[in-house]
Amino acid sequence: MQAFPLVRVRGTARQMGIQHGEQAASLIDCYLRWIEKSTAVDRDTLGQRARAFLPFIEALNPLLLDEIWGLAEGASISFEHALLCQVRGEATRAPLNEGCTAFALTRSATIDGHAIAGQNQDLPPEFSDLGIVLHIEPTDGRPRALTFTFAGQLGYMGTNEYGVSHFANGLADYEWKLGLPHYPLKRTLFEQRDVAACLELVKKHHMCSAANMVFCDGDDDIADVEIRPEGIALFEDNHADKRLHTNHYITECFAHFETHETADSVPRIRRIRQLVSEHWGQLDVESIKEILADHEGDPGAICRHGAGGTHSICGYIAEPSRGRLHVRRGHGCTGTWTAYEV
């Protein structure tokens, strides 16, 4: 298949969950089976563990719980199994090997002066069989959104009708703490109207684990924030019009935690900095696609081919001012890009 399955949902939170569950029921079961296989723990046990995160999700966004109940109904699974899809990484407490090279560029960097952001998503190859593109259209006043995610997971990377887009890199070297899982936060970020609101939301909720996030919006603002259970640190990069990040801490606040567990992270950020510099002022969707297909440093290049057991299973490019999300299925060098309108 050249594109990921497209799942469209519309209505109240409960109705959208039901529609998601009905359309993706078989893939949701595959996702749950993959979680069981990769952790060697059955879904019932993991589902009970997932309940520990309910207070944090409710404090963040009570409507997500309605949608999870709807998901369970539509897919004919238990609420605990539907909840597990939202908290997989935290309920299993099993670190997931990731590469991921993310970017946000704006104004003087791009050919038309408008923001553009995205990433290569580097994960174990099995995840490529579980992905969907989810188009969300709430009827309760919340914005429409497009997200690449995994079947049964309510949100991951993407953009909304205000151009608010976010992408992420995995980070290591932290002490896990009970708190808010990342996936519910990612979905709730699609309910914000600008980058400033996204940063306020991230500041407000303490997370279980570490990650980096890049943001942009329809006003061509961009930002990057490194997140740890104890707090966050803004990464300003060396130019106001770019944010480039891979899988190591860069901020002065958090750099001392870094042990360089992902050995190719520093070479990858050096390479994307070089490529962005070479195309400065002329960057657009097509030139970004070429950058995301770059092979210098194989197999741990920007286009990843197996380093650490992970591959660039997909990629994303958001054009916030145009309400458009490009999603690639497969490696940067051989995959197929499909454009979606919010």
Side-chain angles (χ1 to χ4, degrees):
M1 293 184 292
Q2 293 187 330
F4 291 102
L6 175 62
V7 175
R8 293 184 178 272
V9 298
R10 183 180 187 276
T12 65
R14 184 79 174 234
Q15 289 168 339
M16 291 193 297
I18 292 171
Q19 293 162 26
H20 183 167
E22 289 175 342
Q23 293 177 63
S26 61
L27 277 179
I28 293 170
D29 181 64
C30 290
Y31 189 28
L32 290 167
R33 283 193 281 118
W34 165 243
I35 294 171
E36 289 179 309
K37 179 181 178 181
S38 62
T39 61
V41 182
D42 68 87
R43 68 184 71 179
D44 291 335
T45 299
L46 293 172
Q48 287 302 314
R49 288 185 195 172
R51 280 192 163 273
F53 303 101
L54 282 173
F56 302 96
I57 298 173
E58 186 168 21
L60 170 74
N61 188 346
L63 287 175
L64 283 184
L65 297 182
D66 291 342
E67 196 163 343
I68 295 168
W69 277 109
L71 181 76
E73 180 180 343
S76 299
I77 59 177
S78 70
F79 172 76
E80 288 78 12
H81 295 167
L83 180 62
L84 175 59
C85 293
Q86 322 314 317
V87 303
R88 174 196 52 77
E90 312 300 353
T92 61
R93 297 284 295 275
L96 180 64
N97 291 331
E98 295 186 54
C100 301
T101 303
F103 65 90
L105 302 155
T106 193
R107 300 183 179 91
S108 66
T110 61
I111 196 166
D112 60 4
H114 290 301
I116 188 170
Q119 73 175 103
N120 264 353
Q121 185 77 61
D122 302 339
L123 290 168
E126 293 86 350
F127 278 91
S128 64
D129 296 327
L130 305 170
I132 62 172
V133 174
L134 178 63
H135 187 275
I136 304 156
E137 188 176 354
T139 54
D140 54 15
R142 292 179 293 163
R144 299 187 310 277
L146 264 170
T147 177
F148 170 86
T149 187
F150 302 109
Q153 187 174 299
L154 301 184
Y156 204 33
M157 318 302 184
T159 190
N160 75 5
E161 67 176 281
Y162 301 115
V164 170
S165 311
H166 63 78
F167 304 95
N169 314 84
L171 295 173
D173 303 314
Y174 62 89
E175 181 181 349
W176 191 94
K177 294 182 180 179
L178 182 63
L180 181 68
H182 283 266
Y183 300 149
L185 174 70
K186 292 180 190 298
R187 170 58 185 274
T188 304
L189 287 165
F190 293 131
E191 299 179 11
Q192 312 311 305
R193 288 176 175 261
D194 54 33
V195 166
C198 291
L199 295 178
E200 284 301 312
L201 191 67
V202 173
K203 289 177 186 176
K204 183 178 178 181
H205 296 273
H206 284 268
M207 311 302 294
C208 295
S209 56
N212 179 78
M213 298 193 74
V214 295
F215 299 97
C216 67
D217 64 25
D219 293 326
D220 299 318
D221 287 333
I222 63 173
D224 184 291
V225 61
E226 293 179 351
I227 303 168
R228 289 177 56 85
E230 60 266 37
I232 69 169
L234 285 174
F235 171 51
E236 299 293 348
D237 216 319
N238 60 3
H239 195 291
D241 291 348
K242 74 172 181 179
R243 300 291 188 275
L244 306 175
H245 211 290
T246 51
N247 300 100
H248 62 283
Y249 298 102
I250 305 176
T251 61
E252 183 178 350
C253 185
F254 292 155
H256 66 281
F257 290 110
E258 185 59 50
T259 62
H260 297 288
E261 182 178 317
T262 305
D264 56 74
S265 183
V266 171
R268 272 188 290 117
I269 200 166
R270 287 176 181 161
R271 181 58 174 165
I272 194 171
R273 284 172 177 166
Q274 176 189 349
L275 294 171
V276 165
S277 178
E278 290 174 358
H279 293 83
W280 193 265
Q282 298 298 313
L283 288 158
D284 60 8
V285 170
E286 294 308 312
S287 60
I288 292 294
K289 288 178 181 179
E290 292 179 9
I291 289 173
L292 295 180
D294 187 76
H295 278 171
E296 182 172 299
D298 274 344
I302 293 172
C303 182
R304 198 174 188 84
H305 282 258
T310 64
H311 290 257
S312 295
I313 65 163
C314 57
Y316 331 112
I317 302 172
E319 296 182 272
S321 63
R322 294 180 171 85
R324 188 176 299 146
L325 180 68
H326 303 262
V327 178
R328 186 193 73 238
R329 184 168 191 168
H331 292 93
C333 55
T334 58
T336 301
W337 288 92
T338 303
Y340 303 87
E341 305 293 329
V342 179

